[in-house]
Amino acid sequence: MAQRPAVRDAGGVGDTAFGELLRDWRRRRRLSQLDLALEADVSARHVSFVESGRSAPSRAMVLRLADALEVPPREQNHLLLAAGLAPAYAERGVDDPGMAAVRAGIERVLGAYDPFPCLAVSRNWDVLQVNPGTAILLDGVAAHLLDKPNALRIALHPDGLAPRIRNLAQWRHHLLSRLRREAGVGGSAELLAEIESYPGGEDCSTDLGGVAVPLELYRLDGVLLTFISMVTTFGTALDLTAAELSIEAFLPADDATAEALRASPTPV
């Protein structure tokens, strides 16, 4: 049976690993102890006690506080472990037999979007699976980027799509903003630093009336394609792999792009 971490006494009040993590998340969300108490429907006194180590939280309390703080699933596991409790989320590979329903769901979504590009990526943006329509996004990408494909490297590396993206600074800002948010809640700081080192600048302006940031990409033959992206996730997943997996579809933003994609030959 897992044991709760020992409380470090300091005049009757000591921090625990859980208390330190909880305080960190509360400060990230810019909440006071009272704010968190109101969000979680508990007393501010109890929040203070579990944060200082004077009270050991129950499993239900850890999850209630995590929900109030909008803590991602992987980090919820860290909170539970820090409190000496079993994690809530398992983690299995996509190829695990128990993930058959997830694999089937990915296949259905990818197939439904074809001939429009659609790909499934992991929490670190590693490409897990693509549909045939994605070939148009991979044409001309250097082989070293396709060996272990990562969607951000393919999009923004100078040997990837970057030289053919007409609004590169705008698209870079869009992707880097997402990556920075993810890095702030447990995402890869190393990947962020790498992607930020690529050339291209940033432009925070938007198009399409501010509704979405378009991807304006020149095909290898010079034809301009314009996309908007839409992300699908497994909202009720109880496995980390499924919870952190996302499926990104690139939909035509104009009739010319839709016609060009429908006219493209299906790769053999």
Side-chain angles (χ1 to χ4, degrees):
M1 180 180 295
Q3 295 182 342
R4 296 183 186 278
V7 174
R8 297 192 297 276
D9 186 66
V13 178
D15 284 344
T16 63
F18 172 78
E20 292 167 359
L21 280 176
L22 180 64
R23 185 182 303 112
D24 179 62
W25 276 104
R26 178 173 61 76
R27 288 173 176 170
R28 289 191 201 186
R29 300 307 190 213
R30 302 177 184 274
L31 297 176
S32 67
Q33 289 183 344
L34 178 59
D35 292 332
L36 176 56
L38 292 172
E39 288 290 334
D41 194 24
V42 299
S43 72
R45 177 185 176 89
H46 191 57
V47 171
S48 174
F49 274 30
V50 297
E51 199 170 277
S52 68
R54 293 178 66 182
S55 178
S58 67
R59 183 181 185 82
M61 180 56 62
V62 173
L63 294 175
R64 178 185 291 189
L65 293 171
D67 183 63
L69 290 167
E70 298 181 350
V71 177
R74 183 174 296 274
E75 305 305 317
Q76 289 186 35
N77 274 0
H78 292 167
L79 283 169
L80 286 162
L81 289 168
L85 301 165
Y89 294 88
E91 184 171 15
R92 294 168 288 184
V94 175
D95 295 331
D96 187 280
M99 298 285 279
V102 172
R103 291 195 302 274
I106 294 172
E107 290 279 357
R108 291 191 186 98
V109 175
L110 294 182
Y113 280 112
D114 197 50
F116 307 144
C118 188
L119 60 159
V121 300
S122 70
R123 67 186 294 260
N124 288 323
W125 297 70
D126 294 322
V127 178
L128 303 176
Q129 196 169 342
V130 303
N131 71 356
T134 307
I136 202 163
L137 298 182
L138 302 179
D139 285 348
V141 173
H144 70 89
L145 293 175
L146 299 177
D147 183 31
K148 294 182 179 178
N150 178 279
L152 289 180
R153 293 188 181 103
I154 289 171
L156 299 179
H157 193 283
D159 294 336
L161 295 177
R164 292 193 281 123
I165 297 178
R166 184 168 76 169
N167 61 330
L168 177 59
Q170 188 182 53
W171 189 245
R172 268 178 53 85
H173 177 75
H174 166 64
L175 292 182
L176 284 170
S177 295
R178 287 176 58 180
L179 188 55
R180 286 166 184 147
R181 288 194 298 270
E182 292 168 7
V185 291
S188 173
E190 292 79 9
L191 180 61
L192 173 60
E194 177 189 340
I195 302 301
E196 284 182 325
S197 73
Y198 298 165
E202 289 190 60
D203 177 1
C204 63
S205 63
T206 59
D207 203 343
L208 299 180
V211 174
V213 177
L215 169 62
E216 300 172 350
L217 177 71
Y218 287 105
R219 208 165 58 182
L220 287 179
D221 61 4
V223 172
L224 180 64
L225 305 175
T226 305
F227 300 94
I228 55 173
S229 65
M230 184 168 69
V231 178
T232 302
T233 60
F234 290 89
T236 58
L238 295 178
D239 181 278
L240 286 178
T241 299
E244 295 171 344
L245 182 148
S246 60
I247 302 173
E248 186 143 6
F250 289 85
L251 307 179
D254 53 44
D255 291 339
T257 299
E259 292 173 8
L261 293 174
R262 293 191 179 103
S264 297
T266 301
V268 177

